[in-house]
Amino acid sequence: MLHPALAPIVALLCATTAWGSLFLVGKPLLSVLDPLWFTVVRYLLAGLLLGALAQLFGSTPWRKLRARLGRLTLLGLAGYGFFSVLVFYGLARSLPSHGAVIMASMPFTTLLLRWALDGQRPSTVSLVGAAMALAGVATVANVFSPAQAADAPMLLGDLLSLAGTLGWVLYTRGAAAMPELSPLEYTALTAVAAWPWMLLAALVATLLGLAPAPAIGVLASRLPALLYIAVLPTVLAAMAFNFGVRRLGAVAGTLFINMVPVSVLGVHALMGQAPSAAELGGAGLVALALAVNAWAGRKLTAGVGGHAARRPQTGAADCACSA
């Protein structure tokens, strides 16, 4: 039996490792699916599964959806729409390892956003860690390479992915700020509320000639990969991540995202694709920055008595542990 204190840690590790596989499995799909339509199909499949789970294990989820429709829609569009579309437009122009390391910069985006929105200024150590993380992202993207001008499309892709991470940071803040919803309910209701607007955006983009609609035959031929993405790195990973964030908080939860580039580089190595020196160096800088920030957080906690505030949890929330 897993100790309750370890449950959120295990959930976050499972979530971020699953997201590493998302970059590897999703990259080939982008050769036949526009990222906007990829997101629509992904969350159609995921939304059907999430809706069924919310009906089975949630507590009056559809009443909660109606009561919070506007806020849940905006958060879903930030986390599932803005984030997914920009990250996959970036991935189409870059490499899976680059997207994974860029995701690992999100803990520091969270710190800066809390400073801007909540007036909670990070410590000097945390700001140094943020600078180290951004340097790591730039190293992975070969920004400092003399030959970088030849890789302008890759740099553009990395910048798009970096911009997209802001959507997930906002989504994470929303999860921590809505304790009345279980992790399952928050994951499901944000997806259900946002999906019609994603579909509308895709249809408008297709009519304007910006995003070609996929053929039915293409979707059928890629169905196994789409189902894998919908179930594991979308539904189960999001539920596990929201569960971990609810227990540990947004800042502590996003620290675990450093496992995303580690898993991608590890799988690449097992496949015989050795990471480049820039990728290893950049991932190392991001990991070091995360360690510095974690150390600063523990020091601050110890200075105020070492007691973290805990929110009361509902029994329904614990279903996310299975992820």
Side-chain angles (χ1 to χ4, degrees):
M1 189 71 177
L2 187 63
H3 191 279
L6 295 177
I9 296 174
V10 172
L12 287 165
L13 288 174
C14 290
T16 52
T17 301
W19 283 331
S21 70
L22 171 62
F23 289 95
L24 297 172
V25 178
K27 173 71 172 179
L29 292 174
L30 299 178
S31 63
V32 293
L33 279 176
D34 181 86
L36 188 53
W37 279 104
F38 170 83
T39 299
V40 168
V41 174
R42 175 188 176 190
Y43 285 104
L44 170 62
L45 298 173
L48 292 173
L49 177 56
L50 284 167
L53 291 173
Q55 179 65 33
L56 289 172
F57 300 108
S59 175
T60 63
W62 311 119
R63 182 183 302 171
K64 294 175 181 176
L65 174 63
R66 290 192 295 271
R68 304 163 180 82
L69 182 60
R71 187 176 184 186
L72 289 170
T73 299
L74 291 175
L75 288 168
L77 287 174
Y80 299 142
F82 184 82
F83 169 71
S84 181
V85 170
L86 281 191
V87 165
F88 278 93
Y89 269 119
L91 182 60
R93 293 162 173 79
S94 188
L95 301 173
S97 55
H98 288 208
V101 172
I102 288 170
M103 280 190 69
S105 67
M106 281 196 281
F108 304 101
T109 310
T110 303
L111 285 175
L112 297 175
L113 198 64
R114 290 180 70 192
W115 188 6
L117 298 181
D118 303 331
Q120 299 182 18
R121 185 186 185 281
S123 67
T124 301
V125 174
S126 295
L127 291 175
V128 170
M132 291 171 58
L134 292 177
V137 170
T139 301
V140 168
N142 281 320
V143 170
F144 306 120
S145 170
Q148 181 58 38
D151 294 321
M154 184 177 293
L155 177 59
L156 174 61
D158 292 337
L159 289 174
L160 287 173
S161 295
L162 186 60
T165 60
L166 180 62
W168 190 258
V169 171
L170 293 171
Y171 179 80
T172 300
R173 284 172 54 88
M178 299 182 73
E180 69 276 13
L181 299 179
S182 73
L184 170 60
E185 290 169 343
Y186 182 74
T187 306
L189 298 183
T190 48
V192 171
W195 187 82
W197 296 98
M198 297 183 204
L199 176 61
L200 178 61
L203 291 172
V204 171
T206 298
L207 290 175
L208 295 176
L210 301 176
I216 298 299
V218 170
L219 294 177
S221 66
R222 301 299 196 280
L223 188 59
L226 289 168
L227 286 174
Y228 170 84
I229 288 174
V231 173
L232 189 61
T234 302
V235 173
L236 296 182
M239 288 169 57
F241 185 80
N242 289 335
F243 169 77
V245 166
R246 185 65 56 83
R247 293 293 177 91
L248 300 181
V251 174
T254 50
L255 285 172
F256 284 82
I257 293 178
N258 73 316
M259 283 303 299
V260 177
V262 172
S263 63
V264 170
L265 294 177
V267 171
H268 268 164
L270 291 175
M271 295 169 61
Q273 303 175 25
S276 68
E279 289 171 341
L280 285 175
L285 271 176
V286 171
L288 180 59
L290 289 167
V292 168
N293 189 70
W295 172 80
R298 285 198 299 270
K299 185 177 180 181
L300 178 61
T301 301
V304 297
H307 297 289
R310 294 180 179 272
R311 296 175 185 261
Q313 301 300 316
T314 61
D318 294 332
C319 67
C321 290
S322 60

